[in-house]
Amino acid sequence: MNISLIDLKRQYETIKEDGDKAVLKVLNDAKYIMGENVLSFEKEFASYIGVKHAISVGNGTDALIIALKALGIGHGDEVITTPFTFFATAESISFVGATPVFVDVLKDSYNIDPEEIEKAITENTKVIMPVHIFGQAADMDEINKIAKKHGLYVIEDSAQAAGGAYKGKKIGTFSDLACFSFFPTKNLGCAGDGGMIVTDNDDLAVMVKALRTHGSGENGQRAYNILNDIKAEVAEDLNADNTVYNPLKYYNYLIGHNSRLDELQAALLRVKLKKLDYWNNMRRTHADFYNENLKGTEFITPVAKDYAEHIYHLYILQSEKRDALCKYLKEKGVATGIYYPVPMHLQKVYKPLGYKKGDLKNSEYLADRTFAIPMFAELREEEKEYIVKCLKEF
């Protein structure tokens, strides 16, 4: 038996008829940039999350970079975040010229430890950027309490957490800005790259819209007016053709990016969004199976906090014999993945920041022990049983 970490072909089979139809309609209509599917998906995603504004971008990394720039974060600023995450979290901070400040995580949930955040705040701290790692919410009440006390912004890195919840509200509603990724392997994934920034702040929404398209057009002008305290109405051209010729894109007000979600991707994501809650529920069902059947073994199973609705973007186990185990499972046809082998503070690129081994003990402990086993909605019962059998045999 061969079992992948995630089977994207099997997933697509469940939406093939609607997916094919949606994509072919875009091709037949020949409107590829910022068309009706992008606008509709943004409205649908905003409604799903429970926010006023959802602004699509080219990918999850761009979402983080643009969110930081929308807040005016740059050289001399510090952003507190977790070292136990994918590189894009820290990379986005460095990209805008700010300094990532890493604080340790909780050993059970793998999320940033709120108690460590306050210790790291300096006069240069501007943002706290928690990551809802592996699909489980960080403790946002505690994080926001600290942010409010010190006058800091909060950006949720929700790349792995579309559809997850904290105390009954969707992840992405607890911050100034929240960022999502639609990379194909995410719980809500497209057929390439894609991302989203959500906010309830009208001015920040304008800034994000301007920054994603070269600081041009109506939103560029609106953003310029906001930054320069100019009170003026900006007319909107609702008939602009973004695919062939939109004259407004030649009037620029800010230095921005070229980071737009493709119309094809938006069409597919609209189909998938309708299935997201079902898929996430299936992931929880599979996680319950793993948890129950791995009781009494040497493996440490994931902890789901009472305040979080975990969506198990990845199902992470811990083992003292991880490397030997992953090799054994590979021989048995069971895919594994190591998330994450090197925490951010020990990456070579961040050597100039002065961190050393032993500084963030929980993150380093987890980096040596954590690994993922197959987790996707379409996992079959016999596959789950086989995976558990192989783990117990080892």
Side-chain angles (χ1 to χ4, degrees):
M1 192 176 290
N2 288 295
I3 309 170
S4 305
L5 266 179
I6 180 171
D7 192 328
L8 295 177
K9 285 185 178 181
R10 200 182 293 180
Q11 183 196 65
Y12 192 73
E13 284 298 318
T14 69
I15 59 160
K16 181 173 172 54
E17 184 176 349
D18 290 339
D20 287 355
K21 183 179 177 182
V23 169
L24 285 172
K25 187 177 187 307
V26 173
L27 294 174
N28 285 316
D29 290 346
K31 294 181 180 178
Y32 305 124
I33 304 295
M34 302 295 287
E36 63 179 63
N37 281 293
V38 168
L39 297 176
S40 294
F41 177 58
E42 289 177 338
K43 290 177 183 176
E44 290 158 8
F45 193 77
S47 176
Y48 175 79
I49 296 296
V51 292
K52 287 175 69 176
H53 306 282
I55 304 104
S56 58
V57 293
N59 54 71
T61 306
D62 280 359
L64 293 168
I65 291 169
I66 291 170
L68 287 162
K69 290 181 77 170
L71 295 173
I73 306 304
H75 292 279
D77 296 331
E78 294 177 353
V79 178
I80 294 175
T81 193
T82 166
F84 195 65
T85 182
F86 180 62
F87 184 59
T89 306
E91 181 183 35
S92 64
I93 298 166
S94 300
F95 190 89
V96 301
T99 300
V101 175
F102 301 113
V103 303
D104 215 350
V105 299
L106 297 163
K107 199 183 282 188
D108 59 353
S109 71
Y110 315 136
N111 272 316
I112 194 167
D113 185 347
E115 289 188 9
E116 296 299 316
I117 292 174
E118 196 151 21
K119 299 174 189 176
I121 293 172
T122 72
E123 62 182 13
N124 296 319
T125 307
K126 296 295 188 297
V127 180
I128 303 171
M129 187 188 286
V131 178
H132 303 302
I133 201 71
F134 307 138
Q136 176 162 226
D139 191 346
M140 292 309 300
D141 281 354
E142 291 302 312
I143 290 167
N144 281 327
K145 192 184 300 181
I146 295 166
K148 185 176 182 181
K149 177 181 175 182
H150 294 275
L152 305 176
Y153 294 115
V154 176
I155 296 175
E156 292 171 79
D157 183 340
S158 309
Q160 301 182 4
Y166 174 81
K167 296 186 177 179
K169 286 182 63 182
K170 289 287 189 228
I171 286 170
T173 59
F174 299 94
S175 53
D176 297 284
L177 295 153
C179 301
F180 294 85
S181 167
F182 303 128
F183 188 76
T185 58
K186 296 297 193 291
N187 293 37
L188 179 62
C190 56
D193 276 312
M196 187 77 82
I197 302 168
V198 303
T199 184
D200 280 325
N201 186 297
D202 295 341
D203 287 349
L204 286 177
V206 169
M207 294 296 297
V208 169
K209 288 177 182 178
L211 288 167
R212 73 173 170 181
T213 51
H214 305 289
S216 65
E218 302 106 332
N219 286 305
Q221 188 175 358
R222 290 192 184 103
Y224 180 86
N225 290 351
I226 291 168
L227 291 170
N228 293 281
D229 199 26
I230 298 170
K231 308 297 182 186
E233 290 293 323
V234 178
E236 185 172 3
D237 184 357
L238 298 175
N239 298 311
D241 184 341
N242 290 298
T243 294
V244 180
Y245 179 73
N246 180 356
L248 296 174
K249 72 180 182 180
Y250 299 109
Y251 295 85
N252 303 86
Y253 302 88
L254 307 175
I255 302 298
H257 298 258
N258 178 23
S259 184
R260 296 167 296 200
L261 184 68
D262 290 340
E263 187 74 359
L264 283 164
Q265 304 296 356
L268 185 58
L269 285 164
R270 292 183 70 193
V271 174
K272 286 190 166 188
L273 182 59
K274 296 171 185 174
K275 299 273 288 184
L276 181 57
D277 285 342
Y278 169 74
W279 286 337
N280 285 342
N281 284 333
M282 288 304 299
R283 286 170 178 265
R284 275 190 288 273
T285 298
H286 300 330
D288 289 343
F289 178 90
Y290 284 147
N291 291 342
E292 182 63 29
N293 284 276
L294 291 174
K295 283 180 180 177
T297 67
E298 66 127 12
F299 306 110
I300 298 176
T301 54
V303 170
K305 294 289 191 178
D306 291 341
Y307 55 64
E309 190 175 287
H310 204 325
I311 59 165
Y312 295 97
H313 167 60
L314 294 170
Y315 183 88
I316 300 293
L317 291 171
Q318 294 181 44
S319 172
E320 296 288 338
K321 306 167 187 172
R322 180 187 66 191
D323 293 346
L325 170 60
C326 289
K327 181 181 178 184
Y328 177 81
L329 290 176
K330 183 178 180 181
E331 292 169 354
K332 294 290 185 178
V334 177
T336 59
I338 295 176
Y339 302 90
Y340 295 96
V342 183
M344 291 301 103
H345 69 293
L346 298 181
Q347 294 283 354
K348 292 281 180 65
V349 69
Y350 286 127
K351 195 172 182 180
L353 295 181
Y355 293 97
K356 62 185 184 303
K357 197 170 180 62
D359 284 347
L360 303 174
K361 290 183 173 58
N362 286 351
S363 298
E364 294 167 28
Y365 176 93
L366 295 171
D368 289 339
R369 291 165 175 81
T370 52
F371 68 102
I373 60 175
M375 171 56 75
F376 52 95
E378 300 78 20
L379 262 177
R380 297 166 182 146
E381 290 302 310
E382 62 269 24
E383 290 173 327
K384 291 187 293 183
E385 290 168 1
Y386 179 74
I387 293 164
V388 168
K389 176 174 172 285
C390 291
L391 285 164
K392 287 182 173 179
E393 283 176 353
F394 179 83

